[in-house]
Amino acid sequence: MSASQTSDPAPQTSTPASPRRLLEKLSPVSGARLGEFPVADEAEVRAAVARARAAFPGWRDTPLAARAEVMARVKQVLAEQGEHYARKISEDTGKPTFEATMMEIGAVPLLLDYMLRRAPVLLRRQKVPTPLVLPGKSAFIEHFPRGVIGIISPWNFPFQLAVVPVLSALIGGNTVVLKQSEITPIVAGVVEDLFRRIGLPAGVVEIVHGDGSTGAALTRAEVDMLFFTGSVATGRKVMAAAAQRPIPVELELGGKDAMIVCADANLERAAEAAVWGGLVNCGQACVSVERIFVVDAIHDRFVEKVREKVARVTVGGPDEQADMGPLTSGAQLGIVERHVNSAIAAGAKVVFGGEKLQRPGQFFAPTLLTGVTPEMEIFREETFGPVLPVIRVRDEDEAVRLANASEFGLAGSVWTQDIDKGLRLASRMECGQVSVNDVIQSVGHPALPFGGVRSSGIGRYHGDAGILGFMHTRGIMVDRGFLNSEPLWFPYAGKVSHGFELLKGITTRSLGSLVKGFLGLRKKMTRPK
């Protein structure tokens, strides 16, 4: 359905006129039934792509300033509807309303402002230097939209991680077909309502609701690029589908982010950061702190500070104004339990928490583990839950080595009061973003690119890369056309010695040889009569 034509979809409470598969949504806080939501089939997905394809030429040819004017209305809608949207996000995910407000909704205008400011600079035709070996010519670079972008977004930050890629694609003149997670169908309706309200032309943003089958249908449809945020396993499937055509793909996948605490760190700040960085959004962030490497000299002091702070974290639903909510996904709760239990069986010590809370909903206690080693599942695999695994290390070199000993490489942090040392260690970490004495917030810096290495993904978004990633790049070279021929064109007879002289000028940067070679070639430009 088109975001420009349809309002927030209501749950299906009665049997539809035609047979249609429905998904049941349960509250992660109470387990109560919140409604049933439709699943788009392959035909509906292809129809949505066709509408986006038909809308593409008009949106592409709309002047950038006019596109930006429409997109800027997002801020007005968020100012008017932000509180309502935040409460719907909390209802769907279980996350605290403060997190829904600041980390989901609040991130959007910050990143949008950057796009609106930078797009006119990035997307205009730019002249580039031309070497002396190409005299009389000018060269330019320009960008043009890829076409119809298929975006598949996740459930952990279902508003921000859907809206920001869509806006990044739209600013350059692309159209979008968006499929959001079946785990958060209420937020999918919120996103649809947002794009309806800003008044986009019909077909510019198409939203299809459904489950994994709907996402798979989108990867098979005639889109021009796929942008996926989610698990490594599904990311591989998306990449394989894109390879069949082939089309470009950007993958924003998982992380196992390392926090390196040096002996000279501000331990109070580092402990506060570890607790927030590991437990915010119930640990359900690809940039959550998932491995804490602590130098031996301060290990015990640091762990005690973290224990005290974890013990003060309140847990509950949005109405309780708690610090930490439930896990949004029931399946993820099972993974967290498995990781913690297997770590305990392998010798890890539970300092705090370590079990599911005895109350309705999908709540797991904030958990602090020590004695974690590289052989454990919780060290190697993404936990995506409220668990802080601490690894004791001899020194910073061992910390960096172990931090890099992972299939993931998304983000990380270094904690030291020696900023030069912090920067040196940051430059040795094999990941897409590193913070010194900070955690997670670098993701919200609008000028910084975001993305990972290895299994954490391919490509970058946010910053300039977030705009250019959805664009083709075109090189243009111009000659004024005054001459009838060129020195390098046919015929070659009599040009070999002059070619050697020109080669000498190119390789030795000798202006004399360049001029001599070219003048010799110019004399041979006219064919003999």
Side-chain angles (χ1 to χ4, degrees):
M1 61 187 69
S2 169
S4 59
Q5 298 172 332
T6 313
S7 60
D8 191 84
Q12 300 282 328
T13 55
S14 59
T15 303
S18 57
R20 192 170 196 185
R21 193 156 60 89
L22 300 175
L23 292 172
E24 184 179 44
K25 169 65 182 181
L26 303 179
S27 168
V29 175
S30 65
R33 183 176 177 275
L34 298 179
E36 291 182 330
F37 296 82
V39 176
D41 60 21
E42 184 128 9
E44 291 173 286
V45 171
R46 292 187 179 279
V49 172
R51 291 191 294 271
R53 176 74 61 199
F56 171 63
W59 184 247
R60 175 197 62 201
D61 296 339
T62 299
L64 174 58
R67 293 200 300 265
E69 183 178 351
V70 174
M71 294 171 59
R73 296 175 195 156
V74 166
K75 294 187 290 182
Q76 179 183 347
V77 174
L78 293 182
E80 296 169 352
Q81 302 294 321
E83 182 177 345
H84 169 66
Y85 286 173
R87 296 192 185 283
K88 299 295 283 185
I89 293 168
S90 292
E91 177 190 13
D92 205 4
T93 64
K95 69 178 62 183
T97 306
F98 181 77
E99 288 183 6
T101 302
M102 300 305 299
M103 300 187 71
E104 291 266 26
I105 298 173
V108 171
L110 186 68
L111 293 163
L112 176 58
D113 278 341
Y114 183 86
M115 292 180 214
L116 296 176
R117 185 173 70 254
R118 289 291 293 162
V121 177
L122 294 173
L123 301 183
R124 69 188 179 200
R125 182 182 296 145
Q126 301 176 42
K127 189 173 184 179
V128 296
T130 299
L132 290 174
V133 294
L134 297 170
K137 302 185 190 299
S138 302
F140 304 87
I141 290 174
E142 62 183 22
H143 304 280
F144 61 103
R146 294 187 184 275
V148 179
I149 311 296
I151 296 177
I152 302 174
S153 62
W155 52 262
N156 59 325
F157 289 94
F159 185 84
Q160 182 206 143
L161 296 183
V163 172
V164 172
V166 171
L167 294 175
S168 302
L170 293 183
I171 192 70
N174 299 282
T175 56
V176 172
V177 179
L178 170 67
K179 187 271 172 187
Q180 296 163 271
S181 174
E182 66 273 21
I183 295 174
T184 50
I186 295 172
V187 178
V190 169
V191 172
E192 189 167 39
D193 184 71
L194 168 66
F195 286 115
R196 177 186 62 81
R197 287 177 183 270
I198 69 173
L200 288 165
V204 169
V205 174
E206 290 285 328
I207 296 178
V208 290
H209 302 280
D211 58 9
S213 67
T214 309
L218 182 55
T219 68
R220 294 190 295 267
E222 294 296 314
V223 296
D224 300 299
M225 176 184 174
L226 289 168
F227 183 101
F228 171 78
T229 306
S231 71
V232 175
T234 305
R236 292 191 179 107
K237 295 178 182 177
V238 172
M239 190 172 185
Q244 296 302 307
R245 298 189 50 198
I247 56 174
V249 61
E250 180 159 336
L251 304 176
E252 299 293 339
L253 307 179
K256 194 71 182 173
D257 290 6
M259 176 178 184
I260 297 176
V261 185
C262 302
D264 65 341
N266 177 339
L267 294 188
E268 189 69 25
R269 179 178 175 84
E272 290 278 7
V275 173
W276 183 76
L279 304 183
V280 66
N281 201 42
C282 199
Q284 300 166 117
C286 53
V287 290
S288 291
V289 173
E290 291 222 5
R291 294 175 299 160
I292 307 174
F293 298 95
V294 185
V295 171
D296 181 71
I298 47 99
H299 175 276
D300 293 348
R301 289 165 52 209
F302 177 79
V303 168
E304 179 56 25
K305 284 183 178 292
V306 173
R307 186 198 66 77
E308 292 172 356
K309 297 178 190 307
V310 169
R312 294 199 293 265
V313 173
T314 59
V315 180
D319 292 342
E320 299 171 69
Q321 296 190 32
D323 299 319
M324 193 183 90
L327 287 124
T328 301
S329 162
Q332 197 62 41
L333 174 60
I335 293 172
V336 173
E337 289 184 295
R338 190 186 80 232
H339 280 196
V340 170
N341 292 336
S342 66
I344 294 169
K349 178 184 177 183
V350 178
V351 179
F352 191 91
E355 60 187 3
K356 186 180 185 297
L357 296 183
Q358 298 304 306
R359 58 173 287 173
Q362 296 163 181
F363 292 91
F364 195 88
T367 297
L368 175 61
L369 300 178
T370 59
V372 173
T373 61
E375 296 75 26
M376 296 178 183
E377 186 178 39
I378 202 166
F379 182 97
R380 294 179 285 104
E381 297 183 11
E382 187 176 31
T383 302
F384 222 63
V387 184
L388 298 172
V390 177
I391 303 98
R392 186 192 295 261
V393 293
R394 291 187 305 274
D395 53 28
E396 295 143 4
D397 287 338
E398 183 181 24
V400 172
R401 178 178 62 80
L402 291 175
N404 291 337
S406 172
E407 70 167 303
F408 299 103
L410 190 55
S413 61
V414 178
W415 299 81
T416 173
Q417 295 185 72
D418 182 343
I419 301 303
D420 289 338
K421 179 175 74 173
L423 288 170
R424 288 195 302 271
L425 293 172
S427 294
R428 292 171 58 191
M429 295 183 73
E430 297 170 1
C431 52
Q433 277 196 344
V434 187
S435 298
V436 178
N437 297 326
D438 205 347
V439 65
I440 294 181
Q441 294 183 111
S442 61
V443 178
H445 192 304
L448 289 178
F450 178 72
V453 302
R454 297 193 287 266
S455 292
S456 286
I458 297 171
R460 294 291 184 271
Y461 82 122
H462 295 186
D464 292 354
I467 298 171
L468 297 180
F470 292 99
M471 308 297 289
H472 288 297
T473 301
R474 176 165 47 222
I476 299 175
M477 192 164 77
V478 176
D479 188 282
R480 293 186 177 276
F482 294 149
L483 301 177
N484 293 334
S485 183
E486 286 277 326
L488 299 184
W489 295 357
F490 297 140
Y492 292 152
K495 290 183 177 180
V496 174
S497 62
H498 305 301
F500 286 146
E501 190 69 32
L502 184 59
L503 176 61
K504 179 180 176 182
I506 294 171
T507 55
T508 65
R509 302 181 68 85
S510 168
L511 181 59
S513 293
L514 283 173
V515 172
K516 185 177 179 181
F518 264 116
L519 289 178
L521 291 173
R522 285 285 298 272
K523 292 177 182 179
K524 301 294 182 180
M525 281 173 54
T526 305
R527 290 180 182 271
K529 295 182 180 179

